[in-house]
Amino acid sequence: MSLKDTYDFPGEACDQGQGHCESAQGPRAISFAKTNIPQTLIRSLKRAGWGLGLGFECSNPTYGQTLNPLNLKKTSGGSSAGEAVLLAESGSILGMGTDTGGSIRIPASFCGVHGLRTTGSRLRHSLMVVVGYTGVASAIKGKKSVSTVAGPMARDVESLALCLRALLSEDMHRLDPTVPRMPFREEVYTSNQPLRIGYYESDGYTQPSPSMARAVQLTCWLLQDAGHQVIPFSVPRTAYAIKHLLVGGLFADGGATFLEKLEGDIVDPTIKGLVKLLRLPDPIKGFLSWILKYIYPRTSQQFEELRGVGTPKKLWEQHTAVEEYQQEFIAKWRSLDLDVLLAPALAPALCAGCFPKSSECQSYSSLYNVLDFPVGVVPVATVTPQDEEELVFYKGYYGDSSDKHFPEVVSGSVGLPVAAQCIALPWEDELCLWFMKEVDTLVKNQRGPK
């Protein structure tokens, strides 16, 4: 199997080496390659005019930029982009990535492979014991509101399940007492019971591209035809979740830890904008937030959150706000008696280097890092000429720079993959995988044999 370069093996640097992976006396694997990542794993958060946000480039001063193998004018995403590219080109059959704001799902979506963000504590610490590595290199450790999660990536759902079967072994809790005693539940993954499936085409924050909306519509039709129930769902307070909880959680210290990691290092061009922004004095950030409040409200809130929380009390309040939002979302889910949820995945791949022009489209993936739900991506369609034509009608919801440039950054994508997200409640990773398998099977049967 291949590993994202953040996985450190004993005695080896973070940018090279092989390692031996095993789960006690269970299945074994050999890691034969480590794959490219962005510098610091902050996927090129840059500045273009006043458009700011987490980005989807994979570039670092050592190995340079990783492009999309399906179209070299497009980005491969970030930050597990090296894994997605290797899998897309059949260079690996199974890989491990990490996901903080969509870092498994965005590259998988852009490159047409499968990926799973697991529930936060299901693999986070236990994977260190089981596969024998010393940890995951991270630019920002200690954050609690938004955690970095390990997860598998592959060319099919069954390979993802195979990986979790091996890792979530019977003796997992003995190897690592910090994880729950919860081996892989085969009976859930192999179930054939009809599901109540919530779905939405838009999160109310970023207007989906025509291909994103069509992918959800197509998948809903296939699921209904297979005997499942589909129920409309609306996401509560997306802007609050993305700006206050996600960005506020990632940069609760005002970016001090991030800047400390870069001391004396070469800074990749893709993150220079972020570095300059974080180095602005707090009063300047506050002033910019104030003057932009009624012109570009999303950017205004971003400036405010990048100032940090300020005090321990404010940090605890931020943690509480995340917990309250999780419960609000779960309550809405349960009020509809849902089993799982279907949502768009950001698609198609953005043009390489274009992300700063439309920086707010991350919301479809990042929301579930705040919620800490297991979520996977499955390729379900490809961009059609009609999807491209319909981009001329795209307006967005805020009318800011990000909305205005979004059609430009996703154009020129005919034939590129479009994925959907399959989501379950926390600790229901096996149900999430089964839902992914059902969607994958229905889509492949609808396409017919190659």
Side-chain angles (χ1 to χ4, degrees), residues 286-430:
F287 175 70
L288 290 172
S289 176
W290 177 71
I291 63 173
L292 292 170
K293 185 174 183 179
Y294 299 105
I295 308 171
Y296 299 115
R298 294 195 289 191
T299 304
S300 169
Q301 184 66 27
Q302 186 107 322
F303 273 110
E304 182 61 33
E305 297 299 338
L306 289 177
R307 299 175 69 186
V309 296
T311 66
K313 182 177 183 295
K314 292 289 186 182
L315 180 62
W316 297 338
E317 289 173 356
Q318 210 269 349
H319 291 168
T320 301
V322 170
E323 293 172 2
E324 290 173 347
Y325 182 74
Q326 289 169 335
Q327 292 306 312
E328 177 185 349
F329 198 101
I330 290 171
K332 188 163 190 176
W333 180 303
R334 286 179 169 167
S335 72
L336 297 172
D337 194 26
L338 301 180
D339 296 310
V340 290
L341 185 63
L342 179 73
L346 179 63
L350 281 59
C351 58
C354 289
F355 172 74
K357 295 181 179 180
S358 187
S359 55
E360 300 291 351
C361 56
Q362 59 169 333
S363 57
Y364 286 95
S365 58
S366 300
L367 175 67
Y368 295 99
N369 294 88
V370 174
L371 291 167
D372 193 19
F373 286 10
V375 49
V377 292
V378 177
V380 297
T382 56
V383 179
T384 66
Q386 184 179 350
D387 292 330
E388 289 274 316
E389 292 169 6
E390 291 179 2
L391 284 172
V392 299
F393 304 108
Y394 188 94
K395 300 296 182 184
Y397 299 136
Y398 289 82
D400 54 19
S401 177
S402 184
D403 279 345
K404 291 174 182 176
H405 285 101
F406 185 71
E408 172 190 342
V409 304
V410 298
S411 64
S413 301
V414 173
L416 289 184
V418 183
Q421 291 192 107
C422 300
I423 304 144
L425 290 173
W427 306 109
E428 295 288 353
D429 303 75
E430 295 89 347

Side-chain angles (χ1 to χ4, degrees), residues 80-267:
S80 304
E83 282 300 311
V85 169
L86 194 63
L87 289 161
E89 290 294 275
S90 300
S92 176
I93 57 172
L94 177 66
M96 290 299 300
T98 61
D99 196 308
T100 303
S103 299
I104 287 174
R105 291 162 288 143
I106 291 168
S109 171
F110 285 4
C111 296
V113 299
H114 301 68
L116 174 68
R117 179 214 184 273
T118 58
T119 303
S121 295
R122 195 85 189 264
L123 289 176
R124 186 177 58 193
H125 300 297
S126 59
L127 197 61
M128 297 182 187
V129 177
V130 174
V131 307
Y133 69 86
T134 57
V136 176
S138 173
I140 308 173
K141 289 188 175 181
K143 57 189 184 303
K144 299 297 182 184
S145 300
V146 185
S147 59
T148 298
V149 176
M153 302 172 71
R155 294 177 60 84
D156 55 74
V157 178
E158 185 55 40
S159 295
L160 302 179
L162 175 67
C163 180
L164 286 194
R165 284 191 193 99
L167 293 175
L168 301 178
S169 57
E170 288 292 337
D171 52 5
M172 172 65 72
H173 182 74
R174 181 183 63 79
L175 288 167
D176 182 4
T178 67
V179 299
R181 194 185 297 272
M182 187 182 292
F184 187 83
R185 293 170 294 173
E186 194 68 40
E187 71 280 6
V188 176
Y189 177 63
T190 56
S191 172
N192 59 3
Q193 295 297 313
L195 297 171
R196 280 182 60 86
I197 302 166
Y199 75 93
Y200 61 91
E201 296 176 21
S202 172
D203 63 6
Y205 183 80
T206 301
Q207 182 183 341
S209 68
S211 58
M212 290 167 65
R214 183 174 58 82
V216 172
Q217 293 163 7
L218 169 66
T219 308
C220 281
W221 177 78
L222 292 173
L223 289 165
Q224 276 187 304
D225 198 48
H228 302 286
Q229 289 182 274
V230 295
I231 300 98
F233 183 87
S234 60
V235 179
R237 301 195 294 159
T238 311
Y240 169 78
I242 297 301
K243 289 303 182 187
H244 181 57
L245 303 182
L246 176 79
V247 178
L250 287 173
F251 295 98
D253 65 347
T257 303
F258 177 83
L259 292 174
E260 183 182 83
K261 297 290 184 181
L262 291 171
E263 284 289 332
D265 200 359
I266 299 172
V267 177

